[in-house]
Amino acid sequence: MVVPRLIERKRDGAALSGDEWRALIRAYATNEVPEYQMAAMAMAVFFRGLEPAELSALTDAMLGSGDRLRFAGERRPRIDKHSTGGVGDKTSLLLAPMLAACGVLVPMMSGRGLGHTGGTLDKLEAIPGFTTGLSLRDTEAQVRALGLAMIGQTAEIAPADRKLYALRDVTATVESIPLISASIMSKKLAEGLTGLVLDVKFGSGAFLPEPERALELAKTMIDLGAARGCPTVALITAMDRPLGIACGNALEVAEAIAGLHGAGPADLMTVTYALGIEMLLLAGVDPDGPAARRRLEQTVRDGSALAAFARMVAAQGGDAATIEHPERLPRAPVQRDVPAEADGIVTRVEPRALGRAIIDLGGGRHEVTDVVLPDVGLEVPAKPGQRVQRGDILAVVHARNAAQAGAAVTAVRAAITVGDTAPDVLPLIAWRVTTAGATPYGGS
Ligand code: URA
């Protein structure tokens, strides 16, 4: 294999063979192909895309570069949910315990904050003592015993993707549909699932804002899953405003706990139930959406979802008392209200800018090595289209000190605008996508 010739062919729009992709990824994973050559290849793929056969070979090669979760002899369905990333999106924290309480196994492998978006692992680690670093064998045992585990990508899972992802992050090659699809699906397929639900975001705060691109990403991942015995369904959901109110690690855990008590914000619960229904349908637990919804609501009403969450927290070293008493979660010392300065209609609640403000507060990373603060963040009750009066609270900043709070207030003021005209707001859940294609959500 002469790597410069492969790069050259991809650069000029040719398709590489499956054998070539397999050899390249194998050599990259073992450091025989240097990062600079892989960076050039990633950029060639970014511009030229991949043929379906190339995408399959790349996905399988990345999956095959590592180990996977094994559930031999396990007859219960195993379903995960994956979001392409947003601000305030804590649905995973609700769904894993709700599904476990329905008898579905949830081996959930999540990521850290990326760009302006938050990460489930960072949120979970806001719970004192909680560890997301379980080995694959310990994860399997916990999933079998408790019905759920929430872990990070271990060094054993798709190591080629781990390397390639870090490389893409610093070479402006993240926003490529085939590269995102191969990256996400190589990890999800390593979880030994019987079904996968994708929450593909669109709108200004999504990695791929245009709906057409979100739909194409969904379809690409669905086809990869289906062809590998992992039925996959996607919902295309709005990320032109944060989901729920809480944005920031401990704040989001507290909001998820409120949701498990039946007191979550309406938009968060709508998306959570919609995704949960898809998970139960894929699991074959319920025959239709309304039955699945009733089952999920029951896990909230009878406390079984909250109990499953507390059991998982205790098993993964976390202080389960914080689940019963969320007021014991880390709380930033400074809170500053951001009130509306005039009467009007909220015209914009820009997630990208809010996500960046959270990073500046220390709630996310500028550099991979940055330590994430659990307690800082924003509460953003303002929603686009909402009528407000002067003095109404648009947001609350949670900061470590007054200077950082002041800077965040300025950023929030720029991100949330109030005007005279009602804005166009994206539908919260726009489409449902299956192997058969996309249908408007709620439509047929
Ligand atoms: N998340 C991933 O795991 N990979 C990508 O490429 C993008 C988001």
Side-chain angles (χ1 to χ4, degrees):
M1 175 181 61
V2 182
V3 180
R5 295 294 87 75
L6 297 186
I7 300 170
E8 196 173 86
R9 279 171 45 218
K10 193 72 244 171
R11 181 199 67 193
D12 295 343
L16 308 187
S17 71
D19 282 345
E20 286 169 327
W21 276 112
R22 278 185 283 280
L24 180 67
I25 293 300
R26 204 177 310 120
Y28 177 59
T30 51
N31 302 319
E32 289 154 63
V33 168
E35 296 287 357
Y36 55 80
Q37 287 186 325
M38 206 57 192
M41 181 58 96
M43 192 56 88
V45 173
F46 183 92
F47 283 114
R48 290 298 190 173
L50 291 178
E51 299 287 330
E54 293 183 278
L55 177 62
S56 288
L58 173 63
T59 308
D60 290 338
M62 296 213 293
L63 171 63
S65 70
D67 200 352
R68 51 179 92 194
L69 290 172
R70 293 174 205 289
F71 292 102
E74 179 57 69
R75 299 176 68 87
R76 290 171 288 178
R78 298 177 298 281
I79 312 285
D80 191 8
K81 185 278 311 185
H82 181 84
S83 156
T84 56
V87 175
D89 182 358
K90 70 285 291 173
T91 56
S92 291
L93 303 184
L94 291 126
L95 285 166
M98 285 162 93
L99 270 287
C102 294
V104 174
L105 302 188
V106 187
M108 191 177 268
M109 198 159 44
S110 305
R112 300 202 173 273
L114 180 67
H116 63 283
T117 67
T120 300
L121 298 185
D122 296 328
K123 295 171 201 185
L124 285 165
E125 286 172 1
I127 301 169
F130 194 92
T131 176
T132 55
L134 268 55
S135 72
L136 293 186
R137 303 294 85 90
D138 286 347
T139 303
E140 289 158 3
Q142 182 178 313
V143 169
R144 285 180 194 266
L146 302 185
L148 75 169
M150 297 180 82
I151 64 161
Q153 181 184 5
T154 69
E156 307 142 282
I157 294 278
D161 168 67
R162 207 179 163 88
K163 276 191 80 186
L164 183 57
Y165 189 80
L167 179 68
R168 287 168 54 217
D169 203 20
V170 292
T171 54
T173 50
V174 169
E175 293 92 347
S176 149
I177 288 176
L179 292 179
I180 295 175
S181 303
S183 169
I184 291 176
M185 293 307 285
S186 63
K187 288 175 293 220
K188 292 290 129 185
L189 291 162
E191 292 177 351
L193 301 174
T194 59
L196 173 65
V197 175
L198 298 167
D199 179 0
V200 178
K201 304 289 188 191
F202 76 125
S204 58
F207 283 116
L208 300 176
E210 307 84 11
E212 304 74 26
R213 301 256 292 156
L215 282 162
E216 190 187 334
L217 177 63
K219 187 76 176 70
T220 306
M221 292 194 284
I222 286 167
D223 289 346
L224 281 173
R228 282 154 190 79
C230 177
T232 303
V233 171
L235 297 182
I236 311 289
T237 72
M239 190 36 68
D240 57 340
R241 69 272 192 185
L243 185 60
I245 295 172
C247 307
N249 301 309
L251 292 168
E252 294 195 40
V253 173
E255 188 165 276
I257 293 170
L260 291 173
H261 278 291
D267 59 344
L268 172 66
M269 297 316 291
T270 298
V271 174
T272 300
Y273 280 120
L275 293 166
I277 287 168
E278 298 300 340
M279 293 170 84
L280 281 182
L281 293 179
L282 274 182
V285 169
D286 286 301
D288 56 40
R293 167 108 191 189
R294 282 194 297 278
R295 188 182 297 275
L296 292 166
E297 284 174 345
Q298 180 62 21
T299 70
V300 171
R301 250 195 319 273
D302 66 15
S304 55
L306 191 69
F309 192 53
R311 274 197 297 276
M312 176 192 71
V313 167
Q316 294 187 222
D319 178 3
T322 55
I323 308 309
E324 225 173 293
H325 301 283
E327 67 281 2
R328 293 193 196 163
L329 284 164
R331 186 171 169 82
V334 179
Q335 273 91 47
R336 287 270 304 275
D337 289 347
V338 185
E341 290 174 319
D343 295 358
I345 299 172
V346 176
T347 48
R348 212 168 51 95
V349 183
E350 184 45 61
R352 210 169 269 264
L354 295 171
R356 290 194 181 125
I358 295 168
I359 295 173
D360 290 343
L361 284 165
R365 294 175 190 77
H366 289 294
E367 308 282 337
V368 210
T369 48
D370 285 353
V371 174
V372 169
L373 302 180
D375 50 357
V376 300
L378 307 171
E379 288 172 275
V380 188
K383 295 284 173 199
Q386 180 189 342
R387 204 162 262 291
V388 289
Q389 292 186 329
R390 185 166 183 269
D392 284 353
I393 301 301
L394 301 177
V396 182
V397 170
H398 293 246
R400 281 285 170 103
N401 59 51
Q404 287 173 351
V409 168
T410 306
V412 169
R413 284 219 173 282
I416 305 179
T417 51
V418 174
D420 301 326
T421 325
D424 288 333
V425 181
L426 297 179
L428 187 56
I429 308 174
W431 291 277
R432 177 174 189 266
V433 193
T434 66
T435 44
T439 45
Y441 190 70
S444 52

